[in-house]
């Protein structure tokens, strides 16, 4: 034990003071973290991503149909139906489809070919093909949040 | 104290000769003067001492020191840019609060409420115009103010952290502008939030390339935090509204206060040590008594010399000289905004249409350089390079610690040469790179199947940053001075910012394609 004249390594008062300050800081940090939790939504306000598009007759073979509200293009080729999201994978603008079938994004100039593959510009990924399915009533259903493979087709 | 005296203290005060009722009426008559004297608790400031008091005893004025060095009031010392920025901020607060009276932060009503403000509300269009021009003016002044502080080495000698606070204010100013132009919920607003939120999500570009998005998704987290949803809608509008009218202005006001306070605490504006007197030195304390008074060094002082006696020689009382100067600058700034607001309307595009963006969808001028960067890579252009630039700027005072006289533009002729050389180099290099990119494209055009991560790390934007960094290191080596290296780097980024802004403003057209002039854009 240190004698009275030798200073303690950490005097008792300093120790208590430091503990008080650090517990206060810890409490503030914990409170701040708790406060940041609030703006992080637990439930997302969104409507159903599955939308009925109508019957197959709406999309005749060889056609490309623009559904602008859903920001998708629905194609019908020899193998069947498929849907392509026209939302640019770069920063979310809607790429416009030219007459030759390629897509160009107005915001930062990404270019996608007929199949949705990136040809030029900053887009990191191809345009997303969306999952199509058949509802029990025979209507075609698109899921705007479920991406599928580029080769996937819905046979009709 | 004797017993007799104690008794006296407890005695009633002598009755007023007139009687209480009469005194009451006299007080009523004197009310205006007494109220004035209670607010301003000193006489008319005629002596220097009283002038000091006038500044020190006023909550608002004591942000100034009692005496101001005459150099501080010279035009080239600051060009008034900091004060103009502050004045524009105040104008923005006033017009902003007025706009809040009618604006409705709801996606169904926001656009119509702006139309109401423009077409129905008395003076609404004028207030909105002032708000808009002051916002643009503030961004411009804050950037120019930063350049002024940098080039006059006013970030040294205890002012290091004030420079960092300035950087925070710069970011807040941009944040205020961004959150502001989202509120009308027009096409510009909608697609700006969309792009902004996706830039916040763009770290995914990196995590996707590394294949770790499933476990570590910073991008997705940031986007959800900003939008409160997975798409741009009501939740997003409210969030940006709260940021714009409450969180960011409050933060700005707080930091602006500290920013100004520190100027005073650091001994006023940065200035050269011995200014050339432009008029006979005023009578200081050492002159008053015929120069017989001698000074002793009684305290530990900063700097190399005691420099006693001359301290007061070139200063004037802040009241009223500096106040007049401040008021003149503030009035000029306000007048300019009123003129702009009167003659030029703030734009309002069509109502937000989530199906089709405008083509081209251009950001306001101060983000156009970024938009050009983002058109090379979302993550590097939107997150990586801005972070490097802001962090790099904030670190300047800590990486360049050379002792030198502050308040001298470009630190003298050598710095002027370095700045000029850097400006010429940046102009040639940046224009050359842009021309190359427009003519030949970039990696994806040459190797269609190239990995995204290659483009993320090697694109015109990152190339510019790397070349500038190299240029500044070479400058440090050639001049053997970190200050010269800092001047080189800052000049590079400043000039590149101007060139990129110009390029995106004039030469980018529909689908972000290159055009010589907007008049050549194709029409539908």
């Amino acid at each position: 034990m240190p004698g009275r004249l030798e200073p303690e390594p950490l005097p008792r008062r300093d120790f208590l003071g430091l503990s008080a300050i650090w517990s206060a800081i810890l409490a503030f940090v914990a409170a701040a973290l708790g406060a940041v939790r609030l703006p992080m939504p637990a439930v997302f306000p969104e409507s159903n991503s599955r939308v009925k598009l109508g019957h197959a007759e709406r999309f005749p073979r060889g056609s490309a149909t623009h559904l602008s509200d859903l920001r998708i293009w629905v194609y019908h080729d020899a193998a069947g139906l498929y849907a392509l999201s026209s939302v640019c994978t770069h920063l979310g603008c809607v790429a416009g489809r030219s007459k030759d079938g390629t897509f160009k994004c107005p915001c930062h100039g990404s270019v996608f070919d007929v199949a949705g593959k990136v040809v030029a510009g900053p887009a990191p990924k191809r345009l997303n093909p969306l999952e199509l399915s058949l509802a029990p009533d025979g209507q075609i259903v698109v899921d705007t949040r479920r991406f599928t493979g580029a080769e996937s087709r819905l046979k009709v | 104290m004797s017993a007799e005296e104690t008794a006296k203290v407890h005695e009633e005060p002598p009755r007023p000769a007139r009687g209480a009722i009469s005194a009451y009426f006299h007080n009523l008559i004197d009310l205006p003067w007494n109220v004035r004297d209670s607010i301003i608790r000193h006489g008319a400031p005629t002596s220097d001492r009283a002038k000091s008091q006038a500044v020190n005893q006023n909550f608002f004025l004591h942000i100034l020191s009692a005496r101001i060095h005459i150099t501080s009031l010279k035009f080239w010392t600051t060009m008034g840019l900091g004060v103009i920025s502050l004045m524009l901020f105040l104008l923005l607060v006033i017009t902003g609060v007025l706009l809040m009276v009618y604006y409705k932060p709801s996606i169904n009503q926001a656009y119509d409420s702006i139309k109401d403000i423009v077409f129905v509300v008395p003076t609404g269009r004028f207030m909105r115009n002032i708000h808009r021009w002051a916002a643009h003016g503030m961004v411009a002044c804050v950037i120019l103010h930063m350049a002024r502080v940098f080039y006059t080495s006013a970030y040294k000698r205890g002012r290091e952290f004030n420079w960092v606070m300035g950087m925070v204010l710069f970011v807040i100013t941009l944040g205020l502008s961004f959150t502001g132009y989202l509120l009308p919920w027009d096409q510009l607003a909608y697609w700006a939030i969309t792009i902004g939120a996706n830039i916040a999500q763009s770290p995914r570009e990196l995590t996707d390339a590394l294949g770790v998005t499933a476990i570590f998704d910073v991008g997705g987290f940031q986007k959800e935090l900003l939008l409160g949803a997975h798409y741009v809608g009501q939740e997003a509008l409210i969030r940006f509204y709260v940021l714009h009218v409450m969180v960011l202005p409050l933060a700005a006001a707080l930091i602006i206060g500290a920013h100004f306070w520190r100027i005073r605490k650091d001994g006023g504006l940065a200035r050269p040590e011995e200014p050339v007197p432009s008029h006979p030195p005023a009578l200081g304390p050492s002159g008053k008594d015929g120069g017989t008074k001698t000074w002793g060094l009684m305290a530990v002082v900063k700097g190399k010399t005691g420099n006693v006696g001359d301290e007061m020689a070139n200063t004037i009382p802040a009241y009223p000289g500096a106040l007049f100067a401040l008021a003149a600058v503030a009035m000029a700034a306000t007048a300019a905004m009123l003129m702009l607001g009167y003659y030029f309307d703030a734009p309002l595009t069509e109502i937000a249409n989530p199906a089709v963006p405008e083509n081209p969808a251009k950001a306001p001028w101060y983000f156009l350089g970024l938009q050009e960067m983002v058109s090379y890579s979302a993550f590097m252009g939107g997150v990586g390079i801005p972070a490097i630039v802001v962090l790099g700027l904030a670190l300047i005072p800590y990486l360049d610690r050379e002792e030198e006289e502050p308040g001298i533009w470009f630190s003298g002729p050598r710095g002027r040469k370095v700045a000029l050389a850097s400006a010429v180099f940046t102009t040639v290099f940046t224009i050359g790179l842009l021309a190359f990119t427009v003519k030949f494209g970039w990696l994806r055009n040459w190797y269609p199947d190239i990995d995204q991560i290659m483009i993320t790390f090697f694109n015109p934007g990152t190339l510019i940053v790397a070349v500038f960094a190299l240029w500044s290191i070479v400058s440090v080596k050639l001049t053997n001075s970190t200050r010269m290296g800092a001047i080189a780097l800052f000049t590079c980024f400043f000039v590149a910012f101007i060139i990129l802004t110009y390029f995106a403003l004039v030469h980018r057209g529909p689908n972000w394609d290159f055009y010589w002039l907007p008049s050549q854009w194709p029409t539908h």
Side-chain angles (χ1 to χ4, degrees):
Chain A
M1 247 190 90
R4 280 190 149 234
L5 293 176
E6 294 165 40
E8 300 168 57
L10 181 65
R12 187 171 55 98
R13 278 166 189 277
D14 287 4
F15 172 75
L16 288 177
L18 282 175
S19 332
I21 287 169
W22 278 105
S23 46
I25 290 174
L26 271 178
F28 275 120
V29 169
L33 285 178
V36 171
R37 183 66 190 81
L38 182 140
M40 210 46 219
V43 176
F44 287 98
E46 0 207 88
S47 49
N48 197 339
S49 62
R50 289 165 61 81
V51 182
K52 281 184 180 176
L53 303 180
H55 292 276
E57 294 83 67
R58 189 177 173 192
F59 311 103
R61 180 171 288 215
S63 70
T65 312
H66 188 203
L67 304 174
S68 63
D69 291 353
L70 296 172
R71 309 165 170 200
I72 62 172
W73 283 82
V74 180
Y75 296 85
H76 193 169
D77 66 6
L81 281 168
Y82 67 101
L84 214 52
S85 164
S86 59
V87 175
C88 182
T89 51
H90 177 230
L91 290 174
C93 290
V94 174
R97 188 170 176 271
S98 320
K99 288 210 172 67
D100 60 359
T102 60
F103 290 87
K104 282 184 182 152
C105 180
C107 294
H108 305 97
S110 290
V111 183
F112 306 88
D113 67 9
V114 184
K117 201 170 152 297
V118 192
V119 188
K125 283 188 280 193
R126 51 162 299 123
L127 290 180
N128 287 309
L130 300 173
E131 191 184 85
L132 291 179
S133 55
L134 274 180
D137 63 358
Q139 289 203 53
I140 290 155
V141 175
V142 67
D143 192 328
T144 51
R145 279 207 293 275
R146 280 178 87 98
F147 306 147
T148 171
E151 304 307 317
S152 138
R153 295 286 184 276
L154 179 73
K155 293 218 165 40
V156 284
Chain B
M1 204 181 267
S2 70
E4 200 181 332
E5 276 169 328
T6 318
K8 232 179 193 172
V9 171
H10 290 290
E11 229 176 89
E12 276 194 8
R15 281 180 163 270
R18 291 192 292 262
I21 289 289
S22 161
Y24 174 78
F25 281 110
H26 273 92
N27 288 348
L28 262 188
I29 291 164
D30 289 342
L31 184 68
W33 292 275
N34 285 336
V35 168
R36 187 198 62 189
D37 289 349
S38 74
I39 297 171
I40 307 166
R41 292 173 294 189
H42 50 75
T46 43
S47 67
D48 274 11
R49 183 187 150 81
K51 285 174 182 172
S52 303
Q53 256 187 344
V55 171
N56 279 336
Q57 297 198 348
N58 184 303
F59 175 74
F60 299 101
L61 297 188
H62 87 297
I63 200 94
L64 294 168
S65 48
R67 297 185 72 86
I68 300 276
H69 199 276
I70 47 169
T71 315
S72 300
L73 297 178
K74 294 261 185 316
F75 175 78
W76 287 109
T77 304
T78 63
M79 300 191 282
L81 288 165
V83 174
I84 296 176
S85 304
L86 172 68
M87 193 56 217
L88 295 180
F89 179 72
L90 295 179
L91 270 180
L92 285 162
V93 171
I94 295 166
T95 50
V97 168
L98 287 171
L99 291 172
M100 277 173 75
V101 172
Y102 286 99
Y103 174 74
K104 301 182 187 72
S106 133
I107 53 172
N108 295 322
Q109 297 177 57
Y111 188 76
D112 289 343
S113 69
I114 297 285
K115 285 245 161 173
D116 277 352
I117 287 171
V118 173
F119 293 109
V120 181
V121 173
T123 75
R125 179 201 296 247
F126 190 41
M127 290 301 162
R128 176 168 181 262
N129 292 351
I130 296 173
H131 196 76
R132 200 257 185 178
W133 290 115
H136 281 238
M138 189 176 163
V139 174
C141 285
V142 163
I143 292 173
L144 292 175
H145 172 64
M146 173 170 68
R148 191 285 294 173
V149 170
F150 175 80
Y151 283 124
T152 55
S153 7
Y155 56 84
K156 295 180 174 229
R157 301 195 178 179
R159 296 184 173 86
E160 290 86 359
F161 191 69
N162 215 11
W163 168 268
V164 175
M165 274 202 274
M167 290 313 301
V168 175
L169 283 172
F170 171 59
V171 173
I172 291 180
T173 306
L174 291 179
L176 276 165
S177 306
F178 182 66
T179 52
Y181 71 76
L182 307 176
L183 301 182
W185 212 248
D186 57 354
Q187 278 286 69
L188 174 68
Y190 181 86
W191 292 102
I193 312 190
T194 304
I195 291 170
N198 281 306
I199 285 177
Q201 187 188 243
S202 68
R204 267 193 191 170
E205 188 179 315
L206 197 63
T207 51
D208 275 350
L210 301 171
V212 294
T213 306
I215 46 169
F216 181 71
D217 186 15
V218 189
F221 173 81
Q222 294 190 127
K223 185 179 182 180
E224 287 173 3
L225 193 63
L226 266 182
L227 295 186
H230 290 121
Y231 59 93
V232 173
Q234 181 61 59
E235 311 294 322
L237 180 55
I238 282 283
R239 274 162 200 242
F240 283 106
Y241 179 69
V242 169
L243 283 175
H244 186 73
V245 304
M246 181 55 76
V247 180
L248 293 176
L250 217 61
L254 215 72
I255 300 175
I256 287 172
H259 196 60
F260 274 77
W261 174 247
R262 276 207 173 219
I263 300 172
R264 184 193 157 169
K265 289 285 134 183
D266 292 338
L269 298 169
R271 60 171 181 271
E273 259 147 30
E274 282 166 50
V276 185
S278 60
H279 63 82
L283 281 182
S286 56
K288 260 180 190 163
D289 41 22
T292 54
K293 188 167 183 179
T294 51
W295 293 72
L297 200 58
M298 302 299 185
V300 178
V301 293
K302 285 182 189 166
K304 284 176 185 148
T305 58
N307 201 19
V308 286
D310 290 345
E311 300 266 288
M312 305 281 279
N314 289 312
T315 63
I316 54 162
Y319 181 98
L323 285 179
F324 282 161
L326 287 180
V329 171
M331 282 174 70
T334 310
M337 292 308 121
L338 293 187
M339 294 280 279
L340 282 172
Y342 189 79
Y343 286 110
F344 301 99
D345 280 343
L348 183 66
T349 60
E350 282 170 43
I351 194 164
N353 178 0
V356 194
E358 283 183 323
N359 193 4
K362 284 198 188 184
W365 63 269
Y366 39 85
F367 284 138
L368 278 177
L370 269 187
Q371 193 171 1
E372 180 66 25
M373 290 284 178
V374 161
S375 80
Y376 308 135
S377 155
F379 174 68
M380 283 319 275
V383 180
I385 294 174
I388 291 170
V389 169
V390 169
L391 208 70
L393 284 171
L395 287 180
I396 284 177
Y398 302 98
L399 299 182
D400 162 36
R401 301 187 71 81
E402 274 169 28
E403 275 280 328
E404 68 181 296
E405 222 173 343
I408 296 173
W409 279 86
F410 302 100
S411 302
R414 189 166 67 140
R416 220 170 291 147
K417 256 187 226 162
V418 170
L420 189 68
S422 305
V424 171
F425 165 74
T426 306
T427 310
V428 172
F429 174 73
T430 312
I431 292 180
L433 185 65
L434 287 171
F436 176 86
T437 313
V438 166
K439 188 107 180 90
F440 301 107
W442 200 251
L443 290 172
R444 179 108 61 201
N445 304 77
W446 314 327
Y447 312 101
D449 291 317
I450 193 167
D451 236 14
Q452 175 60 31
I453 201 155
M454 292 293 292
I455 296 172
T456 301
F457 284 109
F458 187 69
N459 62 58
T462 55
L463 190 64
I464 283 178
V465 173
V467 166
F468 288 175
L470 202 68
W471 173 264
S472 99
I473 289 168
V474 169
S475 302
V476 171
K477 195 139 178 65
L478 288 181
T479 59
N480 197 25
S481 155
T482 51
R483 168 67 180 156
M484 292 301 131
I487 289 181
L489 190 63
F490 189 90
T491 308
C492 283
F493 278 108
F494 193 65
V495 173
F497 170 77
I498 295 170
I499 292 174
L500 287 173
T501 305
Y502 161 80
F503 183 78
L505 188 69
V506 175
H507 296 309
R508 287 299 189 183
N511 297 331
W512 211 243
D513 286 333
F514 175 82
Y515 292 90
W516 281 108
L517 286 171
S519 57
Q520 295 167 331
W521 291 4
T523 49
H524 302 286

